[in-house]
Amino acid sequence: MNIARVSSQIFLGQPAGAFKLTFRLLPRGLVMENIAPAIAPPSGMGERKSVNKAVLTWVHEVESLTAPENIFWCDGSEEENDYLLGAARRQGVVIQLNQEKAPGCYLHRSNPNDVARVEQFTFICTPAKEEAGPTNNWAGPAETYDKLHGMLKGAMRGRTMFVVPYIMGPPASPLSKIGYEITDSIYVVLSMRIMTRMGALASEKLGQKLDAEFNRGVHSLLELDPERRLICHFPQDNTIISVGSGYGGNVLLSKKCLALRIASYLAKKQGWLAEHMLILGAESPEGEKHYIAAAFPSACGKTNFAMLIPPKHFAGWKITTIGDDIAWMHFGQDGRLYAVNPENGYFGVVPGTSYKSNPNAMRAIERDTLFTNVALTSDGSVWWEGKDGDPPKTATDWKGNPWTSDSKEKAAHPNSRFAVPMRNNPVLDPKVEDPAGVPISAIIFGGRRSNTMPLVFQAFDWNHGVYIGATMASETTAAATGAVGQVRRDPMAMLPFCGYNIGDYFEHWLQAGPRLTNPPLIFNVNWFRKDADGKFLWPGFGDNMRVMKWIIDRCEGRGSAMESPIGFVPRAEDLDLEELEEVSSEMMRDLMAVRSNEWEKELAGQEKFFETLQPYVPKELLAQRKALAARFGR
Ligand code: GTP
Ligand code: SPV
Ligand code: MN
């Protein structure tokens, strides 16, 4: 008999015999190893059923379809988490790290074929293709439900079906949303407890009303076969179905699926904004405080910017974090934009994180952290490229293979991640639970660009700012599968996350301006411009404070700038560059240069991008493009 694709996931790093293999018969007649064997919780554990009949009916439907061995209702308690961690260890799903060095920390290794978001397998399933628009993969809802139900049929046989209730946003906020994720992955449950407000408080908030709104998420690992991997969104039904993956944004359905794709659709309909943005607070030594939101594409610096520690020269400044990835923003009665962070934790890029680059993140991940795909050292700690100090001589790499410091392969996967509760962040902003959110003074767009884009510039006005966001581009990173380092347009850092027609999304942004009597000012930054030798010109990280200071000065109406074809740009003397020896005035010139040969290419790139979106590009943005070209004398 054919043993099909034995997954390596549960073998990795585990002593032989650490768990019992269970086999099961698949509909196709193949015998396969069960990669997520059912757990047998003690009585009283996992029994906290929902009191909402609509939830019960739906859970029962999914149960009938997937045929799990048992159902585990998650309540989010400490005891439950301890039990699930134990079960996950016994199954080899997580490895407990050295508890003296890393209390509460665990390591998970995903299947090597499953290490990043899969944009090619991500679908928006709306009745009309036009609703999904030119940037999304589309499939019709009826046929997609059929297909997915076919894949899910009996998929949880021999497995436990976990039911995970969660809240996105401060529980008392009118913006907050409730979701339920059904999953057969313990790793997903453990992660959801960190990343969301998970458990009984969510089911209590939903209450008993039959028509109470909640997102229905169904996830199954299936067999982790990349050819049977699909992430499907049904915005009209507030439903998500994800199959065949066990990794990150593909399966933590609260995050990109609900808080961005579904939420952006709802936001358009209901008149608010769901954005791929960090939110930070910046308080001057004089006690003047501003909140700033920034949209950078995946792996382009949101988490780092949200937690930055200013250089010594900025003593007295305090930077605090509201969120590191997603902002839900609404229009306040005072004509300002207010933002909440829907999440409860950070799912951050590990490589490059060090006490030098991001000390606050390092302190946060000293405990209670679930690492995915980093290297394991002989003393039971974790290591990754870019961590402080010398690399260990030997380690176990992210795939579970022996690794030495001479190895050519990376010890940690470039998209390895930490999941850590936001409470661990030493600079968590005190207003993070404020139901009203925080008022946003500035919106920053930014991408990873080796050339063309200066360190910082400011939009002339709201509509110009929307144009800057809409034409943003960035070099691709390891956060999604596919080629790395290729410049692609990524409007507002939402290309993979906008759950509806991008033309309507642009229109929504344009209409937001006039609704705000006191709109945030809009800026663009680029921390990643390189010199002729391919070295970053700007030190980045904490020194990004220098750019933020200018942005705040502009918000206060006191920073000076010069007008250029692309917007207002600071002269070197407008930025506070004291005690920044590593950047010469020549480098500063290169960082700030607006070169017409580069912009010629850029303009052509923007035009080409808009052509791919036609006929949906709002007229105002076409007019903005013309005006920009004209300012370059074209
Ligand atoms: P997602 O979680 O994928 O949305 O990523 P993110 O936008 O939060 O990016 P993150 O802050 O995790 O940074 C991604 C990578 O960029 C890491 O390897 C960082 O070390 C690096 N990085 C972040 N900020 C800077 C910077 O200012 N300069 C340079 N050169 N690199 C940076
Ligand atoms: C991103 O890719 O923007 C992330 C990581 O934040 S994931 O949650 O996997 O989408
Ligand atoms: Mn992100």
Side-chain angles (χ1 to χ4, degrees), residues 390-409:
D390 295 328
K393 288 213 166 54
T394 62
T396 307
D397 73 9
W398 67 274
K399 292 181 188 166
N401 296 325
W403 179 93
T404 72
S405 45
D406 301 327
S407 295
K408 282 200 188 68
E409 299 216 3

Side-chain angles (χ1 to χ4, degrees), residues 130 134 501 503-504 610-619 622:
E130 214 178 12
N501 191 312
D504 295 336
F610 276 3
E611 276 164 16
T612 67
L613 305 183
Q614 284 302 22
Y616 303 113
V617 181
K619 284 203 185 70
L622 296 175

Side-chain angles (χ1 to χ4, degrees), residues 19 54-55 67 104 108 181 203 330 340 353 388 406 427 434 445 566 623:
F19 57 93
V55 173
H108 169 74
E181 177 165 353
S203 45
H330 65 111
V340 301
T353 307
D388 310 83
D406 301 327
V427 295
D434 193 325
F445 295 118
I566 64 168

Side-chain angles (χ1 to χ4, degrees), residues 421-454:
M422 68 176 178
R423 305 268 156 248
N424 277 22
N425 178 358
V427 295
L428 190 67
D429 191 275
K431 288 207 163 181
V432 75
E433 292 288 350
D434 193 325
V438 295
I440 299 298
S441 302
I443 287 175
I444 307 177
F445 295 118
R448 195 179 269 271
R449 295 294 297 271
S450 306
N451 49 50
T452 314
M453 287 294 163

